[in-house]
Amino acid sequence: MEYESVLIVKPEVFIYKIPPRASNRGYRAGDWNLKEPTWTGRMRLVAKGTAVILKLEDKTSGALFANCPIDTYPGVAIEAVSDSSRYFVIRVQDDNGRSAFLGLGFGDRSDSFDLNVALQDHFKWVKNQEQIEKEKTEPKQELDLGFKEGETIKINMRITKKDGSEGSSRTGKNKGSSGVLPPPPGGLGKIAPPPAAAPATTVRQSPGVSPAHRPAAGGSEWTDYASAGGNQGQQNASNANWVQF
């Protein structure tokens, strides 16, 4: 069993007789006799299930003046005029199915705004209900996240080094290379240390000796002094012979 719910109530609205539409430019409230409405009364917007009806009723007795079934908005059943936000054109129907178009007006723009919002919210709810029912009847398509045959994946990893800098390591499949160097020939043996260097011999140069009279690396400083003394003696003997002649 479906219950009626009242979406909006406006205590005073105005109904006008309107001339036939002359062209496709839309209805204009300026073409109506706005100072002399045909009827004044109460408006109620009632929803029953997914259907919504705009009811025009007497303000005192509540007697029904006209019904306006609305199947979509905006649509043929209710249409805004082109020159004002307070006036609409509605299509009313009687019990025999006969219909007529009348002008509907509000004294305040906030009243017409409330009617707009109520109709939009209702048909948005109807659309959501239809989507829910559609999902119940149609099977949901399962999402396949598995790898297909021959499909590969590449991952970029960011690695932080000890010095705080960042490097990228790329993980993937490379043909012909495993990414690890082979061990050296001979297994995991230890490498022999290099031979120790021979200690260097420091030769002290004697004073007064020219580079030509430097001793060999294996000599000592005493040899330097002996060589110097022998050379000096030979030089003195030679000088003595020159004196004798």
Side-chain angles (χ1 to χ4, degrees), residues 87-135:
Y87 297 93
F88 299 85
V89 175
I90 60 175
R91 183 184 62 184
V92 296
Q93 292 181 349
D94 60 9
D95 297 336
N96 298 324
R98 293 177 299 180
S99 62
F101 289 93
L102 299 175
L104 171 68
F106 296 91
D108 196 343
R109 284 187 175 85
S110 62
D111 294 337
S112 62
F113 176 80
D114 294 341
L115 177 60
N116 268 312
V117 173
L119 288 171
Q120 290 174 3
D121 289 346
H122 173 77
F123 286 104
K124 184 178 180 181
W125 173 80
V126 171
K127 186 176 181 180
N128 291 337
Q129 291 297 114
E130 292 175 352
Q131 184 66 27
I132 292 172
E133 294 298 326
K134 184 178 180 181
E135 291 178 356

Side-chain angles (χ1 to χ4, degrees), residues 5-11 42-47 52-55 106 110-119:
S5 60
V6 179
L7 303 180
I8 188 175
V9 177
K10 293 301 175 181
R42 180 180 66 187
M43 185 207 76
R44 285 197 310 142
L45 190 65
V46 179
V52 62
I53 301 174
L54 188 149
K55 294 186 175 184
F106 296 91
S110 62
D111 294 337
S112 62
F113 176 80
D114 294 341
L115 177 60
N116 268 312
V117 173
L119 288 171

Side-chain angles (χ1 to χ4, degrees), residues 16 18-19 21 26-29 32 54 68 70 73 75-82 86-92 100-105:
Y16 303 91
I18 61 175
R21 180 185 294 186
Y27 292 99
R28 287 174 49 88
W32 310 343
L54 188 149
C68 174
I70 303 173
Y73 181 77
V76 179
I78 180 169
E79 180 183 352
V81 299
S82 60
R86 295 188 294 119
Y87 297 93
F88 299 85
V89 175
I90 60 175
R91 183 184 62 184
V92 296
F101 289 93
L102 299 175
L104 171 68

Side-chain angles (χ1 to χ4, degrees), residues 2 13 20 25 27 31 36 46 63 72 99 105 132 141 203-204 206 225-226:
E2 293 180 342
V13 295
R25 64 183 177 88
Y27 292 99
D31 298 335
E36 297 180 3
V46 179
T72 182
S99 62
I132 292 172
Q141 184 178 3
V203 178
R204 192 184 341 186
S206 300
Y225 283 111

